Amino acid sequence: MAVWVGGHLYLAVRILPEVLRIRDSEKLLRFEKSFEPLGMPALLLLVITGVWMSLQFGISWNEWFDFDSPMERVISIKLILLFSTVLFAISAQTRVLPKLRKGKDHLNEMAVHVMMVTLLGIAMLVLGSFLRYGGF
């Protein structure tokens, strides 16, 4: 979680503003190239540990989206955020980044992807703290 969220926080706060200001995707593409070998395994690990977390708290896959108990609510919301993050990552990798590599200006679309993944990651971190207190 720290690698994925930390990398996207750095991207959102440090790199993205300059890239958007000068309208040059090269710095963003360099970051993506260097972060991808670490970031994609981190995302895969997030998916694995997210499923494992639900099972460790006694919530099986057929109870994920029931929202009946406080723990089910937290875990279900975290899983929704996680699956949304995966969809944004797939979209960035298959749609937006290839366009940027070809020199097309899709920086605003990439900025939306970066900000959404960053906000989703922060929300997952915050929700994780509720697990210690029995959910909500």
Side-chain angles (χ1 to χ4, degrees):
M1 179 61 100
V3 169
W4 182 257
V5 175
H8 280 84
L9 274 169
Y10 182 78
L11 176 59
V13 173
R14 187 79 173 111
I15 293 175
L16 191 61
E18 180 183 347
V19 166
L20 291 174
R21 184 176 44 78
I22 63 174
R23 305 301 298 173
D24 183 13
S25 62
E26 192 56 40
K27 188 172 186 177
L28 181 105
L29 291 171
R30 277 194 314 270
F31 175 82
E32 183 271 334
K33 186 177 181 179
S34 68
F35 182 68
E36 186 175 336
L38 183 61
M40 287 302 142
L43 180 58
L44 178 62
L45 190 60
L46 276 177
V47 172
I48 293 167
T49 58
V51 171
W52 183 49
M53 170 200 62
S54 72
L55 298 173
Q56 290 295 312
F57 282 103
I59 306 201
S60 63
W61 64 271
N62 58 345
E63 299 172 307
W64 279 356
F65 306 109
D66 287 346
F67 299 93
D68 290 334
S69 72
M71 292 299 275
E72 284 178 14
R73 280 193 286 275
V74 172
I75 288 173
S76 295
I77 293 169
K78 280 189 73 155
L79 289 170
I80 289 168
L81 296 176
L82 177 61
F83 296 144
S84 298
T85 299
V86 170
L87 291 175
F88 272 106
I90 291 169
S91 174
Q93 289 295 318
T94 61
R95 290 178 20 355
V96 184
L97 286 168
K99 292 174 186 175
L100 286 175
R101 287 185 194 109
K102 290 179 181 175
K104 297 179 182 174
D105 185 13
H106 285 270
L107 287 173
N108 291 339
E109 187 177 3
M110 189 63 192
V112 169
H113 279 66
V114 168
M115 295 309 296
M116 288 304 300
V117 168
T118 304
L119 293 173
L120 289 167
I122 292 169
M124 284 188 283
L125 281 172
V126 171
L127 282 171
S129 67
F130 286 99
L131 293 172
R132 291 183 176 203
Y133 304 108
F136 62 80

